[in-house]
Amino acid sequence: MNLKTIILKAVKDVNEQLQIDELENIHEETPLFELLDSLGTLDLILELESSLEEHTGEYIAVANEESMDKNNTPFKTIVTLENYLLQRIADESN
Amino acid sequence: MSQISFANIAITAMATTVGNNIIELEDEKERFGFDDDSFSRLQRSIGLKTRYIADEGVCASDLCVQSAENIFANSGIKKEEIEALLFVTQSPDYKAPSTAIIMQNRLGLPTSCGAFDINLGCSGFIYGLFTAFSYVNSGMKKVLLCVGDVNSYFSGERDKIFTPLMGDAGSAIIIEKKDAPRSFFSLYSDGSGYKHLIVPAGGARTPSTPETLIPKEREDGGIRRDEDLFMDGKEVFNFAIKTVPPLIKEIVEFAGKENDEIDYFVLHQANPYILKTIASRLKVEKEKVPLETGQIYGNQNAASIPGTINGFLSDEFSSKKLTIAIAGFGIGLSWGGAVIQTDNIYAPKTELYKKEL
């Protein structure tokens, strides 16, 4: 499973409870961070951590000091999140 | 603030009292309007199980007085030795006078004891401890520090965003002159973030009116009055992740220690994920970072660090010499940390509030 598929599945799982219309038809530029409240963002972080651990065999902390900073969050869109997670995985493997 | 250290001053006793009503979060689903899905989200993301709440009419000072009486009855410390009483709270008995002064009389402390309140929340234990250490450093023999809150004072009765997180607790701590290794403190504040955690009305800036007392449904889905506490969850999460790891790194370095020389990192119990993330960023073994207090007792504000020690580490603190790093962070925004050593202190297990006192 590639990273984008993992992210999309995580968003879908989180949205099963949130039922946000825009997340039903998510695309690369959907404003993820704007649509999720703090609990929703935390939920997505936990979903991603558990999914990444399942696929990589290692715990990778997804939250960083900008996770919930509206200007710099990596959770802005699927694209920014994918780039961020690629970097996190690379950092962990070094 | 510059980093400050103190020689030959130590904590010698610490006790915590919590509200006597144990509320299962499951039993509050209807009150906060949680459906099964949103309830399971809350349990998964924040791990809430129970919280300990005081009866209506019980004040933070009542919980602290019980904690202090426990210390005076069992530790050998005498009331007449106390030269200052500091009370850190956001839920005073009255707007004026300082609740600490009323507590001086209730506890039977000498009138030669100075007493006043400090208005702080989750960083309050560190600020209070720093103030108490400063007073002892300036010549006082023993200082009684009380920290605590009864959260119903400022949390909306049906605010599903904030209220389910909160618990009621009051701690008492004795600080005194004693042969002890140096203690290290660092305090910070940043008022630019004051709106992220705020009770918007009821003070002189926006006085109380009938309108400010009406509960209203807010944009974040919470139902609260203007005189209840508002928390911007995203901003507060960000603040904690951004400030606490560097704070702990700084204070441990200032103390001339390595992380593996610290027995416990006792942090304000905001929520388990924040604590787990901080531990991971500091690369500290998770066993050294207790994180269960909020899940069991609720967020105890300024009392959450002593609440964690009395709640989960009582045997360790009562029987060992320990080097600990502590950090509080929250409303203000304000944050602070310390590295201190404790040596077989009087640290009984957390008690439930006894109505008859």
Side-chain angles (χ1 to χ4, degrees):
Chain A
M1 197 181 277
N2 72 23
L3 189 54
K4 189 173 287 174
T5 313
I6 289 174
I7 296 170
L8 289 171
K9 183 173 182 312
V11 173
K12 185 171 172 255
D13 288 349
V14 168
N15 199 43
E16 265 178 27
Q17 291 171 3
L18 297 177
Q19 303 282 316
I20 298 170
D21 290 344
E22 291 94 325
L23 294 182
E24 287 292 319
N25 304 304
I26 192 161
H27 54 80
E28 291 197 336
E29 294 303 325
T30 300
L32 260 187
F33 187 72
E34 278 180 34
L35 294 169
L36 295 170
D37 61 9
S38 58
L39 215 51
T41 311
L42 185 52
D43 222 6
L44 180 58
I45 289 171
L46 292 168
E47 197 67 49
L48 287 168
E49 284 181 350
S50 121
S51 192
L52 288 173
E53 189 166 12
E54 202 176 296
H55 285 85
T56 64
E58 284 187 27
Y59 171 72
I60 296 169
V62 168
N64 74 359
E65 63 269 18
E66 292 179 334
S67 297
M68 299 213 192
D69 178 335
K70 61 178 181 286
N71 296 318
N72 302 312
T73 178
F75 289 81
K76 270 185 186 162
T77 65
I78 298 292
V79 174
T80 60
L81 183 53
E82 186 182 11
N83 290 337
Y84 167 69
L85 291 179
L86 281 170
Q87 187 60 52
R88 285 292 300 120
I89 293 166
D91 290 347
E92 286 298 318
S93 58
N94 288 333
Chain B
M1 151 185 173
S2 343
Q3 298 165 320
I4 302 286
S5 68
F6 301 96
N8 295 322
I9 300 171
I11 291 173
T12 51
M14 177 183 288
T16 297
T17 302
V18 293
N20 56 302
N21 300 295
I22 306 168
I23 312 279
E24 300 274 344
L25 188 63
E26 181 121 26
D27 296 337
E28 296 192 298
K29 276 163 77 173
E30 197 175 325
R31 171 182 170 189
F32 294 116
F34 291 126
D35 56 27
D36 288 344
D37 282 345
S38 54
F39 178 72
S40 58
R41 272 181 72 210
L42 196 65
Q43 283 203 307
R44 179 184 127 107
S45 54
I46 311 198
L48 300 178
K49 293 174 186 155
T50 51
R51 57 198 194 104
Y52 285 58
I53 300 299
D55 286 332
E56 195 176 337
V58 172
C59 294
S61 61
D62 300 327
L63 305 178
C64 288
V65 164
Q66 181 175 318
S67 297
E69 291 289 14
N70 179 340
I71 289 174
F72 292 126
N74 300 301
S75 70
I77 295 165
K78 295 181 173 58
K79 292 183 177 182
E80 55 269 27
E81 296 171 329
I82 303 298
E83 294 186 304
L85 163 55
L86 315 176
F87 182 33
V88 181
T89 191
Q90 292 179 120
S91 43
D93 288 13
Y94 305 98
K95 282 196 172 173
S98 271
T99 306
I101 301 170
I102 301 169
M103 292 163 76
Q104 170 273 328
N105 181 55
R106 285 179 66 187
L107 285 164
L109 302 181
T111 53
S112 57
C113 166
F116 62 91
D117 291 357
I118 300 173
N119 179 347
L120 275 168
C122 305
S123 62
F125 177 65
I126 308 293
Y127 272 76
L129 200 60
F130 171 78
T131 310
F133 269 66
S134 302
Y135 282 14
V136 173
N137 194 49
S138 68
M140 288 183 171
K141 290 188 191 70
K142 287 187 173 70
V143 172
L144 169 60
L145 169 64
C146 291
V147 294
D149 271 308
V150 166
N151 290 286
S152 56
Y153 180 80
F154 49 75
S155 53
E157 198 185 325
R158 286 180 296 142
D159 185 357
K160 65 179 180 184
I161 306 295
F162 182 72
T163 307
L165 311 177
M166 306 309 291
D168 299 335
S171 304
I173 303 99
I174 300 289
I175 296 94
E176 62 181 286
K177 198 87 186 157
K178 187 175 186 274
D179 283 340
R182 196 163 273 275
S183 303
F184 303 85
F185 286 81
S186 191
L187 304 182
Y188 290 91
S189 62
D190 179 5
S192 71
Y194 79 98
K195 286 187 177 170
H196 301 325
L197 270 165
I198 188 171
V199 178
R205 182 74 61 194
T206 308
S208 180
T209 65
E211 178 72 14
T212 62
L213 290 167
I214 299 171
K216 295 173 191 160
E217 182 157 7
R218 311 290 170 158
E219 209 173 295
D220 61 11
I223 298 171
R224 59 181 170 271
R225 310 169 309 166
D226 289 336
E227 296 189 35
D228 293 326
L229 196 135
F230 160 74
M231 174 178 70
D232 182 330
K234 282 182 176 175
E235 291 287 357
V236 172
F237 181 97
N238 219 42
F239 156 68
I241 300 294
K242 198 177 277 186
T243 55
V244 180
L247 168 71
I248 294 170
K249 191 166 176 291
E250 173 207 317
I251 197 73
V252 170
E253 278 175 12
F254 177 42
K257 303 279 184 194
E258 300 288 338
N259 280 351
D260 60 10
E261 296 176 90
I262 304 293
D263 295 301
Y264 288 103
F265 295 79
V266 188
L267 313 181
H268 167 60
Q269 304 284 298
N271 82 45
Y273 185 80
I274 288 180
L275 296 172
K276 197 177 148 198
T277 305
I278 291 169
S280 156
R281 295 182 76 74
L282 289 167
K283 302 192 188 319
V284 170
E285 304 95 294
K286 61 182 180 189
E287 294 73 21
K288 285 187 172 186
V289 187
L291 47 73
E292 286 181 298
T293 309
Q295 294 168 285
I296 303 299
Y297 291 107
N299 182 335
Q300 298 172 322
N301 274 3
S304 81
I305 293 172
T308 300
I309 291 171
N310 294 117
F312 298 92
L313 300 167
S314 162
D315 292 342
E316 291 275 292
F317 277 74
S318 300
S319 61
K320 288 183 182 168
K321 188 183 278 192
L322 297 169
T323 302
I324 59 168
I326 52 179
F329 45 96
I331 198 161
L333 300 169
S334 58
W335 62 106
V339 168
I340 58 175
Q341 194 172 88
T342 61
D343 186 1
N344 294 286
I345 66 172
Y346 176 68
K349 289 190 193 309
T350 292
E351 281 190 334
L352 291 182
Y353 179 63
K354 297 168 192 151
K355 293 176 193 178
E356 65 270 20
L357 271 177

